[in-house]
Amino acid sequence: VDAASAQAVLDAASAALLVPQTISLTSSIDDVTGGAGDDIFKAIFNSSSGTYNAGDEINGASGSDTFNVLVAGGSAIGLVQTTAVETINFRVLSGTAAVNATLLEGVEVITNASSLDDTNLAVSGLATTTTIGINGAANNVSLDYTGLTSASDSVSLTLGSVGSGSAATAVDATVIDLDRDDAGSIESATIGLSGSTYVNLEGGTGLTGLTLTGGTSDDNAVVLVSATTLLNSLDASATDGTNEYTVSGRSDITIKGGAGDDTFIMGTSLSNSDSFNGGSGTDTVTATLASSSTRKLNASGMESAVIDMTVDGAKVDASASDITTHTFLASADVSGSIINLMSDSTINLSED
């Protein structure tokens, strides 16, 4: 055999190793290994039978491998060990699927992949290096991380057309609980957005920083941040959609908007130390003044403020604001005031 022929045989053998495999698990305890290609492993779990079983072992070997799990009935799912499997997708058809990720070694992404409405994926034993993905429908996710330290622990998520709604109105928001065991150990989170997204983010008592990225000019996101008492930074400067953020209950917070038309809803928690940078687009801050003390607007790159005055003597100080359009809502028996307006400002008055 000449050198050229030997090389051809070697090349053919190498190419065969790179061909992706699709491997389906069985109803028995499996120990399977992939090849050098981007392999796909498949399993079905339900409470009485299936092919996802405690004790299964999956080694993805080389390549960028994926494990697709169809959860036919919500339940606690047994421990399965994976090695060198980069992505695991769970599709939940009913109930709550409780997954222990302790033995999912090296997994980079766990996705709640187009699960049906009103289902829940509860993942414990997560490493903070694992990105959580949620795609489609109004399914919910609760997370419990392991290996946390007293230093700053950060987690990452990606959301693709999550929840349902219309424009700035959430009809059925997906609930994401970053702190399932209420340990208060997650300090920061980064969320990548794509498509139109409606989400209620329960950040936990330790979350101080939230960063949002992504989206296009055609997308919109409605994000309610709740159960997050220490949040002091919301940075959406790398977003492009038309987005609405509700952060009522958080004071002394720095908020940055992105390239789209952003709305920041403060509720009754607007404080003199809050600051807003709207970025591009036409941006709005809304707040309710429920006391007669003066509230200072610290705003740049913002175009509009909507203030609901519910008590006599409520006052807004606009000396640190470049907002030029102010809308004030009040009942007929309530009076309020605004001082230090920008020149050429527009004031709209409305009785509520």
Side-chain angles (χ1 to χ4, degrees), residues 6 26 28 42 60 75 111 133 144 155 201 207 212 233 245 249 254 256-257 263 267 271 305 307 313:
T26 71
S28 301
K42 295 182 177 181
S75 180
T111 300
D144 180 16
V155 299
L201 179 68
L207 189 73
L212 298 109
S233 174
Y245 306 97
T254 298
K256 298 179 181 179
T263 299
S271 76
I307 307 295

Side-chain angles (χ1 to χ4, degrees), residues 58-82:
I58 303 171
N59 189 330
S62 302
S64 182
D65 307 303
T66 301
F67 183 21
N68 294 326
V69 182
L70 178 67
V71 183
S75 180
I77 295 178
L79 281 168
V80 166
Q81 181 169 347
T82 66

Side-chain angles (χ1 to χ4, degrees), residues 50 85 92 198 212 305 344:
V85 176
V92 185
Y198 304 86
L212 298 109
D344 299 323

